């Protein structure tokens, strides 16, 4: 974190030909209101030193005995030999020691009263993975972030546990909208409830993602650290991004429902299901990075479950990464146990699609020699350097793929393929009472082919800041590929097209819906 912030400040000073203090003030002006407290780090930053030297000098970067001295940038130019960083630190540390204590005071931003309440909210959400604002406890919210309706369909009555997205309509919703799909009331022409007229027999169903950070659509805006593009507008979405844990499920491949503001376009399985049957409005859940699914076996509509943990079973930041990967035996046991849980909770007539693991060699092959956003101004930080830095810090999102070691990359992909084959065999052999089960490979190769046909480059399918997660473009293209696969091979999963969609939209607009 220190290296990131100091890099941005130094580059701002360089780009605007200003002092470091002026660059700091400029950055603070960009950041919204109460968040400005996080940017005041006026300590011993010198344009002649790189961010590694500054952060080690401030002792914010811990180095255990025998551990390598982690650095993102090449050692200072005056010291070409391997000990260049050590010489720079010996020169710089005495100047910084007096100020380091005051700097460390800012390292815990949650200590500030203005941010304390937000920090507590985020801690609650991280612990429970449930909406922070949920007055009736039905796991649906009227608030967008903090695991609110960006993650699950928006609640239409947060004071009633019997009104939430995805339930079967109560008495055909003649008097109220119990399932929050915007269809309720009675047609005065014939006395038939609109929900009964338009949705009875329509095979309504929701979509639920059980996924990882890729499914949650993790994204750090590159304009936050690209000084040539930086402005106050760049940070306008910072409060929302923080309270959504830097995830953007509202634009994601499975549950996206808003027009993207982070590049590319939004296409999702939910949007296509809603277009196919307007009665499915708001019936979505993104249960990524753990959480609790909200589905009543007795009261709710069936659901399509996408089980897509596409990397977590082989990705870790451990030194001995292979030893910490899920084994095929563990995969079989864990997934079958999860499916048995789903069988006891999902309404009859549901469907489960198991998605295979990704072949992450795509990441190194397409990014390693390209410049990271932090390195674009001075052409001094490649993704290879970023991956090595994160690996040294033992915080790499996937040390088995984000490595120059080709043998390790191949072994990681070999394990991923073994685990995908376990999922494929489960789909072939296991049977459950309340859902049928299917398997599909993660469509990375097809996504890259489609993007090339559109004139794109493979590296654009990867998040530019972390160099690991699928980008907004990849998510949108992947949606179309997944949809076509399901439509042609397992059309029963998607349900029928509702012939009354136009009438539903007309009634919905007449009632003031959005």
């Amino acid at each position: 974190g220190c290296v990131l912030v100091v890099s941005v400040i130094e580059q701002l000073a360089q780009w605007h030909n200003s002092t470091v203090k002026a660059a700091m003030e400029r950055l603070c002006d960009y950041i919204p209101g109460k968040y400005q407290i996080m940017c005041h780090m006026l300590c011993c930053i010198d344009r002649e030193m790189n961010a590694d030297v500054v952060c080690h000098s401030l002792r914010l970067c811990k180095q255990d005995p025998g551990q390598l001295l982690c650095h993102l940038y090449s050692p200072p130019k005056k010291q070409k030999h391997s000990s260049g960083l050590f010489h720079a630190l010996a020169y710089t540390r005495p100047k910084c020691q007096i100020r380091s204590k005051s700097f460390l005071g800012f390292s815990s931003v949650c200590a500030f009263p203005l941010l304390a309440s937000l920090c507590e909210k985020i801690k609650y959400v991280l612990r429970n993975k449930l909406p922070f604002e949920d007055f009736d406890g039905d796991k649906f919210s009227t608030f967008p972030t903090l695991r609110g309706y960006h993650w699950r369909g928006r609640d239409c009555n947060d004071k009633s546990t019997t009104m939430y997205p995805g339930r079967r309509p109560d008495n055909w919703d003649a008097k109220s909208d119990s399932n929050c799909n915007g269809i309720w009331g009675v047609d005065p022409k014939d006395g038939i409830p609109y929900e009964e007229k338009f949705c009875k027999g329509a095979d309504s169903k929701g979509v639920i993602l059980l996924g990882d950070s890729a499914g949650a659509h993790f994204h750090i805006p590159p304009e936050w650290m690209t000084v040539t593009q930086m402005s106050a507008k760049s940070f306008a979405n910072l409060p929302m991004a923080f309270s959504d844990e830097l995830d953007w499920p509202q634009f994601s491949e499975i549950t996206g429902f808003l027009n993207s503001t982070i590049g590319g376009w939004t296409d999702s399985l939910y949007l296509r299901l809603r277009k196919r049957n307007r009665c499915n409005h708001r019936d979505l859940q993104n249960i990524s990075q753990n959480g609790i699914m909200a589905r009543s076996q007795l009261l709710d509509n069936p659901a399509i479950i996408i089980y897509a943990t596409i990397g977590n079973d082989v990705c870790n930041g451990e030194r001995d990464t292979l030893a910490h990967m899920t084994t095929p035996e563990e995969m079989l046991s864990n997934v079958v146990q999860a499916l048995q849980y789903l069988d006891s909770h999902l309404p009859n007539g549901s469907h489960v699609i198991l998605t295979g693991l990704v072949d992450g060699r795509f990441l190194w092959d397409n990014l390693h020699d390209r410049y990271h956003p932090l390195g674009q101004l001075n052409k001094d930080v490649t993704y290879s350097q970023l991956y090595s830095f994160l690996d040294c810090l033992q915080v790499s999102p996937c040390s088995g793929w984000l490595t120059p070691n080709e043998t390790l990359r191949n072994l990681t992909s070999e394990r991923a393929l073994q685990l995908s084959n376990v999922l494929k065999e489960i789909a072939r052999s296991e049977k459950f009472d309340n859902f049928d089960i299917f398997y599909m490979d993660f469509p990375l190769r097809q996504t890259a082919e489609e993007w090339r046909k559109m004139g794109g480059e493979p590296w654009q399918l990867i998040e530019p800041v972390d160099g690991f997660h699928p980008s907004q473009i990849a998510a949108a293209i992947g949606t179309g590929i997944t949809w076509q696969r399901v439509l042609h091979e397992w059309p029963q999963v998607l349900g029928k097209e509702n012939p009354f969609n136009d009438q539903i939209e007309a009634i919905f607009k007449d009632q003031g819906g959005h």
Side-chain angles (χ1 to χ4, degrees):
C2 175
V3 169
L4 165 63
V5 173
V6 173
S7 296
V8 168
I9 292 168
E10 290 177 337
Q11 290 185 29
L12 272 173
Q14 177 187 344
W15 181 248
H16 293 282
N17 194 25
S18 70
T19 64
V20 168
K21 181 177 180 180
M24 182 85 70
E25 292 171 349
R26 185 184 298 272
L27 179 62
C28 290
D29 287 341
Y30 290 160
I31 293 176
K34 61 185 179 182
Y35 295 85
Q36 289 186 5
I37 195 72
M38 294 187 292
C39 72
H40 289 288
M41 295 186 295
L42 288 170
C43 326
C44 111
I45 300 177
D46 188 327
R47 283 178 59 178
E48 300 303 315
M49 297 182 284
N50 68 30
D52 297 311
V53 176
V54 171
C55 294
H56 276 289
S57 298
L58 291 168
R59 302 191 183 279
L60 286 179
C61 298
K62 180 184 176 185
Q63 183 190 8
D64 293 328
Q67 182 185 343
L68 294 173
L69 194 65
C70 302
H71 59 93
L72 179 61
Y73 295 87
S74 299
K77 291 181 179 179
K78 293 180 181 179
Q79 307 288 348
K80 291 287 186 181
H81 48 81
S82 59
S83 60
L85 188 54
F86 288 98
H87 278 272
L89 290 176
Y91 169 75
T92 307
R93 270 186 175 149
K95 296 197 304 179
C96 294
Q97 283 175 350
I98 296 174
R99 294 178 177 178
S100 62
K101 288 185 179 180
S102 62
F103 186 95
L104 286 168
F106 288 96
S107 64
S108 179
V109 296
C110 292
F112 294 98
L114 288 172
L115 295 176
S117 61
L118 176 64
C119 287
E120 285 306 309
K121 285 187 176 185
I122 292 178
K123 287 176 184 177
Y124 172 89
V125 169
L126 290 174
R127 283 194 304 268
N128 299 282
K129 304 296 184 186
L130 287 169
F132 184 83
E133 302 281 354
D134 179 16
F135 297 108
D136 56 13
D138 60 8
K139 304 181 182 67
F140 295 91
S141 177
T142 59
F143 191 75
T145 60
L146 295 168
R147 292 276 168 162
Y149 69 75
H150 282 172
W151 299 81
R152 307 173 190 242
R154 185 171 183 168
D155 203 343
C156 52
N157 187 335
D158 208 18
K159 297 179 181 178
S160 171
T161 58
T162 62
M163 301 176 72
Y164 55 84
R167 70 161 294 172
R168 292 197 299 272
D170 180 24
N171 195 28
W172 292 114
D173 284 357
K175 295 183 178 181
S176 61
D177 188 11
S178 66
N179 56 15
C180 300
N181 67 358
I183 307 167
W184 63 279
V186 175
D187 189 339
K189 297 176 184 177
D190 52 24
I192 300 174
Y194 289 120
E195 183 96 35
E196 182 179 6
K197 179 179 285 191
F198 297 139
C199 299
K200 184 177 183 180
D203 202 12
S204 300
K205 58 188 69 176
V207 59
I208 301 174
L209 171 69
L210 306 181
D212 49 25
S213 56
H217 205 31
F218 183 84
H219 166 82
I220 299 175
E223 57 270 23
W224 288 3
M225 57 190 70
T226 309
V227 297
T228 56
Q229 304 172 12
M230 196 174 289
S231 67
K233 185 178 179 181
S234 304
F235 293 93
N237 55 15
L238 185 145
M240 180 190 70
F242 275 0
S243 54
D244 260 340
E245 307 157 55
L246 292 175
D247 294 319
W248 309 72
Q250 67 272 31
F251 308 139
S252 66
E253 180 176 352
I254 304 300
T255 63
F257 63 94
L258 294 178
N259 289 333
S260 172
T261 59
I262 57 173
W265 63 98
T266 301
D267 192 2
S268 70
L269 186 60
Y270 163 72
L271 283 177
R272 293 189 177 224
L273 280 169
R274 184 191 180 282
K275 184 177 181 181
R276 192 174 179 86
N277 178 9
R278 177 61 181 72
C279 302
N280 293 327
H281 182 52
R282 291 188 183 177
D283 196 355
L284 63 99
Q285 296 182 52
N286 192 313
I287 314 298
S288 291
Q289 307 173 72
N290 301 316
I292 298 175
M293 183 181 70
R295 211 67 176 183
S296 167
Q297 202 162 44
L298 298 177
L299 298 176
D300 297 349
N301 283 322
I304 303 170
I305 306 293
I306 308 296
Y307 185 104
T309 53
I310 64 173
N312 280 11
D313 288 283
V314 295
C315 287
N316 54 70
E318 301 290 343
R319 289 290 183 210
D320 187 3
T321 181
L322 289 171
H324 289 82
M325 293 179 186
T326 303
T327 66
E329 294 76 19
E330 290 169 336
M331 189 75 164
L332 176 63
S333 173
N334 293 343
V335 175
V336 169
Q337 184 179 354
L339 293 172
Q340 289 170 344
Y341 172 87
L342 291 175
D343 200 30
S344 66
H345 286 73
L346 287 175
N348 189 263
S350 296
H351 313 274
V352 172
I353 298 176
L354 303 178
T355 303
L357 280 71
V358 70
D359 185 348
R361 288 175 293 192
F362 184 91
L363 303 167
W364 179 269
D365 291 346
N366 288 286
L367 280 185
H368 74 278
D369 56 353
R370 295 190 60 83
Y371 290 112
H372 184 267
L374 279 178
Q376 288 175 7
L377 181 64
N378 296 310
K379 303 293 186 282
D380 56 355
V381 177
T382 64
Y383 283 93
S384 177
Q385 289 170 260
L386 173 72
Y387 296 156
S388 296
F389 181 53
L390 297 177
D391 192 50
C392 179
L393 295 173
Q394 299 177 41
V395 294
S396 172
C398 196
S399 54
W401 275 324
L402 309 183
T403 172
N405 186 332
E406 183 179 7
T407 300
L408 182 54
R409 298 199 304 270
N410 290 337
L411 288 172
T412 303
S413 288
E414 182 180 319
R415 176 63 60 85
L417 180 60
Q418 292 171 356
L419 301 183
S420 294
N421 287 335
V422 170
L423 295 173
K424 190 181 297 185
E425 178 58 24
I426 289 173
R428 188 193 67 80
S429 61
E430 297 288 337
K431 304 297 178 187
F432 297 90
D433 293 333
N434 290 308
F435 57 82
D436 46 15
I437 185 169
F438 308 93
Y439 170 84
M440 66 177 295
D441 291 321
F442 185 81
L444 178 60
R445 180 180 56 80
Q446 301 96 310
T447 300
E449 289 175 358
E450 288 296 318
W451 183 230
R452 283 193 187 97
K453 291 176 185 176
M454 299 166 69
E457 296 289 340
W459 57 267
Q460 295 169 315
L461 300 175
I462 307 168
E463 274 294 315
V465 172
D466 61 58
F468 178 65
H469 292 91
S471 69
Q472 183 68 34
I473 294 170
I477 295 175
T479 295
I481 294 170
T482 299
W483 180 268
Q484 290 302 317
R485 171 82 187 273
V486 177
L487 184 64
H488 288 109
E489 296 190 28
W490 317 307
Q492 70 273 27
V493 171
L494 304 177
K496 312 168 191 174
E497 287 197 62
N498 192 333
F500 302 111
N501 282 334
D502 290 342
Q503 292 96 316
I504 294 171
E505 290 292 349
I507 294 294
F508 190 53
K509 289 175 182 176
D510 285 346
Q511 294 178 341
H514 299 280

